[in-house]
Amino acid sequence: MIKIAPSILSADFANLERDVKAVEMAGADYIHFDVMDGQFVPNISFGLPVLSSLRQKTDMVLDVHLMIDRPENFVEAFVAAGADIVTFHVEATNHVHRVLQQIKAAGAKAGVVLNPHTPLSAIEHVLEDVDMVLLMTVNPGFGGQAFIPGVMKKLKQLAALKAEQNLSFEIEIDGGVNAETAKLCIENGANVLVAGSAIYNTPDYAEAITSIRNAAHV
Ligand code: DX5
Ligand code: ZN
């Protein structure tokens, strides 16, 4: 089954509770929470206090995507603040395996994220340790950017490795996902699709979510 994770980066931050409930009602599976530090990426979004507040308001799975340098310094705090899944960029730390263990020891699911240019070899030796692999299909930092189709080759290779090794991690795609690009992602082996602008910038969230989820059937 394909899961849809609306990114609240495209929500109205002054009405976050309302905008989270709205996508929950519209059939979302996860809430994707984009943390940006102004260092790893050229933008600043929101962080720990916002996550704790949101945790009080929803039981949905909070899928926290850390776009921050040195995630090792913050992962426990994000789990304590209510993250169910924590993903971090392998480009942002020298200690990928250790950070995965930190997240799991703190009690959350753990995943790694690759920028569009980062090869799969960067995570080849931790595939058995991850609950999720997130492949970026834009350069992280902003919502509303264009999907980079070249990443589909990497997605296909990742799905093949997963099958070969009989592993069960989720494969998530983030950036420029809409009903059209979702079809490519699903056909190449993704099972979780993040979408920000393609959901929040439309009037009917349920229709947007359904059209992305069912993209492969049209
Ligand atoms: C980009 C973020 C994404 C972003 C996606 O740096 O990680 O999650 O919100 O937005 P769209 O779906 O508009 O590309
Ligand atoms: Zn994201």
Side-chain angles (χ1 to χ4, degrees):
M1 263 320 283
I2 302 301
K3 294 176 185 169
I4 306 298
S7 166
I8 56 169
L9 192 61
S10 290
D12 175 357
F13 295 169
N15 288 288
L16 262 190
E17 181 182 6
R18 179 198 68 190
D19 281 3
V20 164
K21 298 273 185 224
V23 291
E24 179 172 3
M25 295 297 292
D29 298 283
Y30 296 164
I31 296 296
H32 187 78
F33 190 94
D34 284 308
V35 180
M36 303 180 181
D37 68 350
Q39 299 292 325
F40 181 71
V41 288
N43 197 7
I44 298 174
S45 57
F46 39 65
L48 290 162
V50 176
L51 183 63
S52 316
S53 296
L54 207 56
R55 181 74 291 171
Q56 312 306 311
K57 303 292 184 184
T58 182
D59 294 327
M60 286 201 77
V61 171
L62 297 175
D63 168 30
V64 175
H65 174 194
L66 297 180
M67 286 163 275
I68 65 174
D69 274 333
R70 304 218 172 232
E72 54 269 35
N73 295 337
F74 286 98
V75 289
E76 284 95 352
F78 277 99
V79 177
D84 297 293
I85 305 169
V86 178
T87 62
F88 63 95
H89 279 259
V90 300
E91 304 88 359
T93 178
N94 291 320
H95 301 287
V96 171
H97 181 271
R98 179 186 289 153
V99 180
L100 287 167
Q101 306 312 317
Q102 281 178 262
I103 297 166
K104 289 197 256 185
K109 291 192 172 168
V112 284
V113 191
L114 303 185
N115 274 335
H117 76 279
T118 305
L120 281 184
S121 57
I123 56 167
E124 190 185 333
H125 299 291
V126 293
L127 284 181
E128 286 179 10
D129 304 296
V130 301
D131 298 303
M132 176 182 272
V133 176
L134 168 49
L135 300 183
M136 293 304 302
T137 41
V138 297
N139 291 297
F142 304 92
Q145 303 182 84
F147 185 84
I148 302 171
V151 177
M152 294 300 96
K153 190 177 158 202
K154 182 161 63 172
L155 171 58
K156 200 171 184 171
Q157 287 170 359
L158 177 64
L161 278 178
K162 176 182 159 178
E164 253 167 49
Q165 298 176 28
N166 207 12
L167 296 170
S168 58
F169 56 81
E170 298 203 287
I171 302 182
E172 184 172 52
I173 294 291
D174 185 7
V177 173
N178 55 37
E180 212 172 291
T181 55
K183 184 174 165 72
L184 288 173
C185 298
I186 296 165
E187 286 171 354
N188 284 291
N191 78 299
V192 185
L193 302 177
V194 176
S197 50
I199 294 172
Y200 278 112
N201 294 357
T202 60
D204 187 339
Y205 299 165
E207 188 188 295
I209 288 172
T210 305
S211 68
I212 295 169
R213 200 194 305 279
N214 297 332
H217 307 305
V218 284

